[in-house]
């Protein structure tokens, strides 16, 4: 089986700065693997047998230049890393991201595509299902368990009150939840071995992808104004003060 696990690089949250104009500055933000995609990578590593192949795939812009992240990905189980970098993918919305991933994965070849439940920045939860639609193959989200059975896989979907068990023929697309596993921390041996694994870098031309006429475009991201915190001081413990405190708490909870 050839498994391709897709992931997104997102800015490190603690490095994002809010400017006086209530905009977000990513100038000093380092890149990291989206937390939800770590579950997808771990799911691929746990599902694969000795004879199986795992490829990691990402598309994006300038964040893909981070060499530290490349080693991090390859130390978690994938045998090769594929990266498609293009300026038009820097802030791509789900549709364009899915189209680019599909163009790349058709060139790589696959039996199973694994996505996380959403990305760590926008969390749109659309890319995996859109990829399945473009490929015209079965696509299932909210997957909390995966088992192999011959030439198919058995997946469980944890819903509000039920658990669905679905048999999927391959090729297929699945989007796993964060409950499916706890991503392992790579060992030192795995980290050292990651440097010997192949990294294939493509441009949009290499996968025959071009940007279509946009139906939606990300214009800006702004931070809502912060509400001023209210301070009510009660400087004694009289019954009246306690009653007043209780009244303020009731109003706040309602």
């Amino acid at each position: 089986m050839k498994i391709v696990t897709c992931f997104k690089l997102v800015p490190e949250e603690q490095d994002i700065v809010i400017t006086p104009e209530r905009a977000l500055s990513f100038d000093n933000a380092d890149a990291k693997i989206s937390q939800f995609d770590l579950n997808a990578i771990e799911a691929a590593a746990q599902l694969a047998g000795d004879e199986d192949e795992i490829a990691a795939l990402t598309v994006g812009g300038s964040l893909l230049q981070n060499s530290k992240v490349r080693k991090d990905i390859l130390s978690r189980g994938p045998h090769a890393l594929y990266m498609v970098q293009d300026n038009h993918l820097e802030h791509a919305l789900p549709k364009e991201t899915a189209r680019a991933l599909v163009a790349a994965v058709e060139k790589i070849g696959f039996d199973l595509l694994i996505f996380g439940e959403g990305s760590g920045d926008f969390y749109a939860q659309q890319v995996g299902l859109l990829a399945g639609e473009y490929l015209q193959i079965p696509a299932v989200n909210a997957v909390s368990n995966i088992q192999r059975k011959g030439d198919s896989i058995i997946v469980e979907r944890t819903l509000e009150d039920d658990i669905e068990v679905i048999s999927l023929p391959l090729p297929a697309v699945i989007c796993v939840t964060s409950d499916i596993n706890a991503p392992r921390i790579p060992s030192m041996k795995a980290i050292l071995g990651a440097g010997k694994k192949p990294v294939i870098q493509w441009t949009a031309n290499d996968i025959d992808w071009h940007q279509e006429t946009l139906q939606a475009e990300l214009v800006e991201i702004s931070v809502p104004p912060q509400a001023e915190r209210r301070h009510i001081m009660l400087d004694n413990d009289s019954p009246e003060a306690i009653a007043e405190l209780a009244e303020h708490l009731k109003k706040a909870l309602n």
Side-chain angles (χ1 to χ4, degrees):
M1 179 190 295
K2 186 167 186 177
I3 304 170
V4 177
T5 178
C6 300
F7 69 97
K8 184 177 184 179
L9 296 185
V10 297
E12 180 65 61
E13 294 92 341
Q14 63 185 11
D15 297 335
I16 301 173
V17 176
I18 301 175
T19 69
E21 295 77 24
R22 304 207 320 270
L24 296 179
S25 173
F26 302 94
D27 294 343
N28 298 316
D30 203 359
K32 72 170 187 177
I33 307 165
S34 173
Q35 182 62 39
F36 302 107
D37 293 334
L38 291 177
N39 296 109
I41 298 166
E42 179 66 22
Q46 292 182 9
L47 185 65
D50 294 337
E51 303 300 319
D52 298 322
E53 180 183 350
I54 305 173
L57 169 64
T58 188
V59 303
S62 58
L63 288 180
L64 271 60
Q65 298 171 2
N66 189 305
S67 58
K68 181 181 69 175
V69 173
R70 301 178 190 182
K71 185 172 288 189
D72 189 9
I73 282 286
L74 290 170
S75 66
R76 294 175 181 274
H79 302 100
L81 170 60
Y82 293 82
M83 311 176 76
V84 181
Q85 185 172 355
D86 187 272
N87 290 337
H88 292 105
L89 292 167
E90 183 78 41
H91 301 294
L93 295 179
K95 180 182 176 183
E96 290 304 307
T97 300
R99 285 185 59 249
L101 288 170
V102 166
V105 83
E106 286 182 323
K107 185 172 181 176
I108 297 169
F110 72 99
D111 296 301
L112 180 64
L113 269 180
I114 303 182
F115 290 82
E117 60 183 320
S119 62
D121 46 10
F122 296 115
Y123 196 64
Q125 297 180 285
Q126 296 178 18
V127 174
L129 296 178
L130 284 169
E133 175 65 20
Y134 290 137
L135 290 165
Q136 289 293 287
I137 59 176
V140 176
N141 66 346
V143 172
S144 55
N145 190 29
I146 319 168
Q147 300 292 331
R148 299 177 65 162
K149 187 177 181 181
D151 294 331
S152 62
I153 58 171
I154 307 295
V155 301
E156 292 183 3
R157 301 179 74 229
T158 302
L159 306 180
E160 215 171 286
D161 300 314
D162 305 291
I163 294 179
E164 285 186 348
V165 179
I166 304 171
S167 176
L168 289 175
L170 299 177
V173 176
I174 60 172
C175 308
V176 301
T177 69
S178 55
D179 297 329
I180 194 168
N181 55 48
R184 290 169 290 182
I185 298 175
S187 65
M188 183 56 67
K189 180 180 179 181
I191 294 171
L192 294 174
K196 302 176 182 178
K197 294 180 179 180
V199 177
I200 298 89
Q201 294 182 272
W202 287 334
T203 65
N205 290 333
D206 292 326
I207 60 171
D208 196 25
W209 177 87
H210 60 277
Q211 188 178 46
E212 294 183 343
T213 302
L214 296 177
Q215 296 176 330
E217 183 179 359
L218 179 63
V219 178
E220 66 175 355
I221 301 174
S222 60
V223 180
Q226 290 185 329
E228 185 177 347
R229 296 182 64 181
R230 296 183 60 189
H231 299 273
I232 300 173
M233 303 294 294
L234 302 174
D235 59 0
N236 64 78
D237 58 356
S238 66
E240 292 78 10
I242 294 172
E244 185 181 351
L245 173 61
E247 190 62 30
H248 285 305
L249 291 173
K250 285 180 183 178
K251 290 179 180 179
L253 292 174
N254 292 331

